[in-house]
């Protein structure tokens, strides 16, 4: 949440900063602002309410110039969406500017103290408190770096902060406290970039250094000097990020979500690449730091995640329990630590996160570490915090950057990564013989092609469905067993981008309440592939029909019975039962996409949302 970009070098800083913010706008789009410094023009600040586009228009009318600067795109936490509350914020002297991602939990207390000292506030934000605090200590220290150290020492909560002072125009100072989202630094010849996420600076370098909790970096043209907040030097080698700038661009697609839906066949190949040996019937997970002996000791897994990734955790439970015979509990990461979980010495935490920066998921990992339980992270963002702190190793999705706020390709890749993990666990624990693993691997390698078929088939049908149903005010999604989490995911996709109220339910539960909602105005999406509980699902569909609900069914190719019961059918190819969700979810993503489009909603940047939820 909130995007941060900074630059020191010899290019026009506005281009780098605004270009970077464009790549980060998915992190927040309530307002945007930049501060650029030039020795002749001084410190030039421009801020605008709303999307970045408004700032770009403003910059067209009131251009700025300079070789050093910083910028911010905001997801509002403290204070309304107003220009006064937009970042950057200035200190009392107007010579220091600050941008921040995170929440200063003790800001009221700090603000009270600063008010007593005679400081005036122009915004309702917690960020302005940081600006005044840094300015206050600057007056004593006469240098930005020690002033930042003293200010950071007083903040509570997860915070990433970047500051600039006109009296030290060759540098930016960045600091990180807790899990406030990433701070990534990229150095090239004679210029240095800083951002909250990799895509912002991918055009310039792929060699990235990630700032850790309680570290501070002095950013100059020569690179970054990193120390702990207490001043101890830190040596860190850059990580080479294998993403290219094209992967972070929208290309010919109208929306990132559309592009990412289409990228799924490739992403499903990439998550498998180099990890399976079909001949030997084995799975190799290169980054996993748990050997066979350690995997054999695991008797309980806690899958923790948020939102869509939590739905992946629900599916992972089926996969792991069935293939490796290990008990799995699935927790919302935002609840996990608050229920004082009793984990046990035979436990493993499985964190699932696209961004690797979701604050609650990171806190769940911390809770596990505190109890001596190792974590494995199924994670997409290379070098992200979750990938770094997973002592059992990251299991990378290799899905490439996901920019659309509604997660699509990361979700299907998570399902396949979880399947690989379940197979690897079963392999170590001897619950699966190589011949069985071979069968699973065969089904996995066929998945990308099948996903491509589903996309092709679902696109025209969903476009028509949207025309038919876009006025609906509610929708129900029903599924059973491993497709119940897919019902939840379908409902989440629809509500988050089209603002239609939608609920996902296990179909068997419908009779215990939600059936009262069904009438002739209600589209009911039923996920009904031919599996062990197919017949029960057909009975549930009959019950919907009897109440005049409109049935949109996702079923197996050639299922004429289902076709005779439903108003509309989208067919998916058959696969192994536990892999069905990878295919059944794709029509639901496409349905949500077209519904949102038809309703005129902003597909990539839905209201109130942001990608990478770095605040609690
Ligand atoms: C919904 C969506 C969110 C995320 C959730 C967790 O489409 O994308 O629900 O799944 O915010 O994010 P990560 O996976 O980055 O931890």
């Amino acid at each position: 949440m909130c995007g941060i970009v900074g630059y020191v070098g010899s290019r026009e800083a506005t281009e780098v900063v605004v270009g970077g913010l464009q790549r980060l706008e998915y992190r927040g789009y309530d307002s945007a602002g930049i501060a650029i410094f030039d020795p002749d023009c001084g410190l030039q600040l421009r801020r605008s309410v709303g999307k970045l586009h408004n700032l770009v228009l403003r910059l067209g009318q009131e251009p700025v110039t300079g070789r050093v600067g910083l910028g911010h795109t905001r997801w509002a936490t403290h204070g309304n969406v107003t220009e006064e509350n937009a970042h950057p914020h200035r200190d009392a002297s107007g010579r220091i500017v600050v941008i921040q991602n995170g929440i200063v939990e003790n800001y009221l207390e700090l603000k009270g103290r600063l008010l007593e000292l005679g400081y005036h506030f122009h915004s309702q934000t917690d960020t302005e408190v940081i600006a005044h605090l840094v300015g206050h200590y600057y007056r004593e220290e006469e240098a930005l770096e020690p002033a930042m150290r003293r200010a950071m020492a007083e903040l509570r909560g997860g915070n990433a902060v970047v500051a600039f002072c006109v009296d030290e125009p060759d540098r930016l100072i960045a600091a990180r406290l807790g899990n406030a989202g990433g701070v990534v630094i990229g150095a090239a010849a004679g210029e240095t970039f800083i951002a909250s996420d990799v895509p912002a600076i991918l055009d310039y370098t792929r060699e990235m250094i990630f700032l850790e909790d309680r570290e501070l970096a002095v950013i100059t043209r020569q690179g970054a000097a990193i120390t702990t907040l207490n001043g101890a030097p830190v040596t860190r080698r850059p990580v080479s990020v294998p993403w290219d700038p094209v992967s972070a661009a929208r290309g010919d697609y109208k929306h990132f979500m559309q592009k990412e839906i289409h990228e799924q066949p490739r992403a499903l190949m990439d998550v498998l690449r180099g990890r399976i040996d079909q001949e030997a019937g084995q799975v190799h997970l290169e980054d996993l730091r748990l050997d066979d002996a350690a995997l054999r000791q695991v008797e309980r897994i806690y899958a923790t995640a948020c939102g869509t990734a939590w739905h992946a955790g629900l599916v992972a439970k089926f996969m792991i329990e069935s293939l490796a015979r290990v008990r799995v509990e699935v927790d919302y990461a935002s609840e996990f630590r608050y229920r004082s979980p009793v984990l046990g010495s035979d436990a493993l935490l499985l964190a699932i996160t696209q961004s690797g920066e979701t604050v609650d998921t990171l806190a769940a990992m911390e809770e596990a570490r505190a109890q001596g339980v190792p974590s494995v992270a199924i994670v997409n963002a290379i070098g992200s915090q979750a990938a770094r702190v997973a002592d059992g190793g990251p299991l990378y999705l290799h899905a490439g950057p996901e920019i659309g706020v509604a997660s699509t390709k990361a979700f299907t890749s998570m399902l396949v990564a979880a399947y690989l993990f379940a197979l690897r666990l079963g392999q170590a624990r001897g619950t699966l013989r190589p011949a069985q693993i071979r069968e699973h691997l065969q089904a996995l390698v066929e998945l990308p092609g099948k996903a491509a078929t589903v996309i092709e088939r679902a696109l025209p049908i969903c476009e028509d469905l949207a025309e038919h149903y876009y006025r609906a005010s509610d929708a129900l999604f029903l599924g059973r067993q491993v497709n119940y989490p897919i019902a939840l995911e379908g409902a989440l996709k629809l509500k988050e981008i089209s603002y239609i109220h939608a609920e996902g339910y296990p179909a068997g539960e419908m009779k215990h309440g939600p059936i009262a909602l069904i009438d002739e105005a209600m589209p009911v999406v039923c996920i009904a592939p031919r599996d062990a509980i197919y017949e029960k699902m057909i009975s549930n569909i009959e019950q919907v029909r009897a109440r005049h609900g409109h049935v949109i069914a996702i079923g197996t190719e050639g299922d004429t019975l289902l076709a005779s019961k439903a108003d509309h059918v989208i067919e998916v190819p058959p696969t192994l039962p536990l892999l069905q969700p990878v295919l059944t979810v794709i029509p639901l993503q496409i349905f949500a996409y077209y519904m949102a489009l038809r309703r005129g909603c902003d597909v990539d940047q839905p209201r109130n949302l942001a990608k990478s939820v770095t605040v609690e």
Side-chain angles (χ1 to χ4, degrees):
M1 272 165 173
C2 297
I4 285 177
V5 183
Y7 176 73
V8 190
S10 49
R11 296 172 202 255
E12 193 52 71
T14 317
E15 278 165 33
V16 178
V17 172
V18 173
L21 291 179
Q22 264 152 358
R23 292 274 170 84
L24 291 185
E25 207 184 2
Y26 57 82
R27 296 182 69 104
Y29 27 85
D30 289 331
S31 62
I34 63 172
I36 304 289
F37 179 77
D38 176 80
D40 298 326
C41 307
L43 186 64
Q44 306 139 82
L45 203 79
R46 302 284 183 273
R47 303 184 295 184
S48 284
V49 169
K51 298 207 171 172
L52 189 62
H53 177 68
N54 296 344
L55 179 68
V56 172
L57 290 178
R58 177 98 183 256
L59 286 167
Q61 291 155 357
E62 300 168 49
V64 296
T65 187
R67 312 284 155 183
V68 54
L70 43 80
H72 185 271
T73 172
R74 176 172 186 242
W75 186 82
T77 56
H78 297 66
N80 297 338
V81 177
T82 60
E83 192 172 319
E84 293 70 41
N85 287 336
H87 300 215
H89 288 280
R90 276 169 290 206
D91 79 324
S93 73
R95 302 181 77 74
I96 292 172
V97 279
V98 164
I99 52 177
Q100 170 226 13
N101 175 22
I103 288 182
V104 181
E105 286 171 3
N106 55 334
Y107 95 103
L108 279 177
E109 173 197 324
L110 294 171
K111 188 169 178 173
R113 240 178 59 206
L114 288 161
L115 284 168
E116 270 173 31
L117 288 168
Y119 288 93
H120 296 289
F121 283 77
H122 305 280
S123 77
Q124 290 112 39
T125 64
D126 50 348
T127 317
E128 198 183 352
V129 168
I130 307 177
H132 286 311
L133 212 53
V134 174
H136 180 74
Y137 289 127
Y138 190 90
R139 293 221 317 254
E140 289 174 19
E141 300 284 347
E142 295 179 354
L144 188 58
E145 186 186 333
M148 266 287 268
R149 280 186 205 289
R150 287 180 67 184
M152 292 303 291
E154 297 199 19
L155 305 188
R156 279 208 312 271
N159 282 287
V161 182
V162 183
F164 171 81
C165 176
V166 292
D167 301 311
E168 301 176 22
D170 64 332
R171 64 192 53 205
L172 298 171
I173 310 274
R176 177 174 181 166
L177 202 62
N179 293 326
V183 178
V184 51
I185 300 163
E191 55 186 349
T192 309
F193 308 83
I194 180 160
S196 37
D197 223 341
V198 168
I201 56 177
L202 261 185
D203 277 339
Y204 309 102
T205 177
R206 291 198 213 169
E207 299 300 305
M208 315 251 178
I209 295 173
F210 295 88
L211 212 58
E212 298 282 0
D213 179 19
R214 308 198 63 75
E215 286 182 353
L216 177 144
V218 179
I219 317 277
T220 61
R221 283 167 192 228
Q222 285 71 41
I226 303 177
T227 49
T228 64
L229 281 182
N230 296 330
V234 172
T235 315
R236 176 150 318 125
R237 291 231 311 272
V239 175
S240 199
V241 175
W243 295 349
D244 60 49
V246 176
S247 67
R250 205 174 58 211
D252 291 336
Y253 289 96
K254 210 164 159 204
H255 299 102
F256 277 108
M257 183 182 180
Q258 182 193 25
K259 174 179 182 245
E260 287 154 10
I261 287 171
H262 281 271
E263 281 175 346
Q264 288 180 108
R266 188 200 47 73
L268 297 179
M269 267 186 260
D270 288 345
V271 66
L272 294 175
R273 202 180 300 284
R275 288 172 166 166
I276 61 177
D277 181 341
Q278 279 182 278
E279 237 173 87
Q282 280 185 350
V283 172
H284 303 287
L285 299 178
E286 74 279 25
D287 298 325
L288 201 67
R289 286 183 213 121
L290 304 174
D291 59 13
D292 280 3
L295 291 174
R296 275 197 289 272
Q297 265 162 29
V298 175
E299 292 299 337
R300 238 179 312 177
I301 292 180
Y302 296 89
T304 53
C306 299
T308 285
W310 182 75
H311 299 153
L314 293 176
V315 180
K317 174 181 169 76
F318 282 92
M319 294 170 171
I320 295 169
E321 292 193 338
S322 163
L323 300 174
R325 308 304 299 154
V326 176
R327 256 179 303 161
V328 181
E329 278 184 39
V330 188
D331 272 88
Y332 281 117
S334 53
E335 292 290 323
F336 185 69
R337 64 191 182 287
Y338 298 116
R339 71 170 170 88
S340 302
V342 184
L343 301 184
S345 56
D346 53 1
L348 174 77
L349 186 103
L350 184 63
I352 308 177
T353 167
Q354 187 285 129
S355 62
E357 302 288 354
T358 300
V359 71
D360 288 315
T361 307
L362 295 173
M365 294 173 84
E366 252 167 48
E367 174 71 36
R369 183 167 345 110
Q371 295 198 32
V373 166
S375 306
V376 168
I378 292 181
V379 56
N380 191 37
I382 310 280
S384 57
Q385 180 79 350
R388 296 198 303 275
V389 302
D391 40 10
L395 209 170
Y396 278 121
L397 303 179
H398 296 305
E402 189 180 69
I403 313 273
V405 164
S407 185
T408 52
K409 64 174 177 174
F411 178 69
T412 44
S413 301
M414 281 168 185
L415 299 185
V416 172
Y419 205 81
L420 286 173
F421 181 70
L423 291 176
R424 176 69 188 88
L425 205 56
Q427 180 178 307
R429 299 167 64 83
T431 55
L432 294 170
R433 290 189 307 280
Q436 291 170 300
I437 295 181
R438 227 173 272 134
E439 253 179 67
H440 290 286
L441 298 185
Q442 185 54 35
L444 281 171
V445 298
E446 288 170 6
L447 265 188
K450 291 182 177 178
T453 306
V454 177
I455 294 170
E456 202 183 316
R457 229 175 243 165
L459 286 171
I461 303 177
C462 290
E463 201 170 356
D464 282 354
L465 286 175
E467 198 50 49
H468 213 87
Y469 291 112
Y470 77 95
R471 288 192 200 87
S473 53
D474 305 271
L476 201 56
F477 288 72
L478 302 175
R480 298 189 78 125
Q481 212 205 14
V482 75
N483 277 305
Y484 156 54
I486 300 308
L488 295 178
E489 175 61 7
L492 177 62
K493 284 289 93 93
L494 186 66
K495 73 182 114 181
E496 70 179 329
I497 60 169
S498 75
Y499 318 141
I500 293 173
H501 166 243
E503 288 194 42
Y505 251 91
E509 279 292 301
M510 184 181 60
K511 295 182 287 300
H512 302 282
I515 198 163
L517 295 171
I518 298 176
D519 61 16
E520 56 288 338
M522 174 77 100
V524 184
V525 180
C526 301
I527 308 158
R530 280 206 173 261
D531 55 16
I533 37 141
Y534 168 76
E535 281 166 12
K536 302 216 182 299
M537 197 62 212
I538 291 288
S539 312
N540 297 139
I541 290 174
E542 303 271 20
Q543 291 151 11
V544 174
R545 299 268 298 167
R547 273 90 193 160
H548 310 293
H550 294 261
V551 175
I552 301 168
I554 315 297
T556 305
E557 274 171 2
D559 186 344
T560 48
L561 175 66
L562 183 66
S564 71
K565 308 270 175 210
D567 295 281
H568 317 270
V569 182
I570 306 172
E571 294 188 340
V572 301
T575 181
L576 293 179
L578 289 170
L579 287 173
Q580 277 293 344
V582 179
L583 301 179
T584 53
V585 75
I586 293 174
L588 308 188
Q589 299 168 344
I590 298 175
F591 178 59
Y593 173 77
Y594 278 117
M595 289 285 273
L597 214 59
R598 187 63 188 79
R599 289 164 67 90
C601 301
D602 187 336
V603 171
D604 280 337
Q605 294 171 351
R607 68 181 180 211
N608 305 339
L609 288 171
K611 213 161 176 78
S612 297
V613 182
T614 55
V615 297
E616 270 197 63

